[in-house]
Amino acid sequence: LLILFLAISFTSCQTVRWAYAEDENAENAETNEDEEQYNTSENSTQTIIAENPEENAISADSGSLISKDIIVIKTGDGYESKGSEYYDWYGHNAAILASGDAVITITSADITTEATYASAVFAYHGAITITSASIKTSENNSGGIMVTGGGIITATDLDIETKGSSSAAIRSDRG
């Protein structure tokens, strides 16, 4: 069973590689090594919406993703029964998640989360560079940018507004 958790838009002939994750019983994960070209108008803004619980709008666990001029909206609360560690340490339900050795680069974005346990930008082992972005979160346990597990976030020119408990603009946990 192959599962692809990638919902992302690309502009101006950006080159992208992505990974597929097999189910946990599989011995080896398949990785798409082919580079794909995505072309859209330079002046178009793409909207990516994730409405379901535990769904990321943009998620990568390997390879490189590059995106420009996007609007990301995350709704769909995390499950209270799983506890905050599931979301606060690993990025489940975040709007944008880089894990493993993934590298995500985003320029010019409007990111909004309207769900519990829904941080806007989350790096767990992976790396994210984000520039010129507006970030708004409105519920509990939903930080603006969050880094854990040795992840790296490089952020420049951000406007971050958060509401709710445990929802700081910049959060870090577990190194």
Side-chain angles (χ1 to χ4, degrees), residues 38-58:
Y38 292 84
N39 298 300
T40 60
S41 168
E42 286 187 33
N43 296 322
S44 70
T45 298
Q46 302 297 313
T47 300
I48 304 152
I49 300 171
E51 299 174 328
N52 298 316
E54 306 209 9
E55 178 181 49
N56 305 103
I58 298 172

Side-chain angles (χ1 to χ4, degrees), residues 98 103-107 121-123 126-133 135 145-147 150-158 160 170:
V103 177
I104 297 175
T105 303
I106 298 172
T107 304
V121 177
F122 201 110
I128 298 174
T129 298
I130 183 166
T131 305
S132 300
I135 296 172
I145 59 176
M146 175 95 176
V147 62
I152 299 169
I153 295 180
T154 304
T156 306
D157 191 25
L158 302 186
I160 303 174
I170 301 171

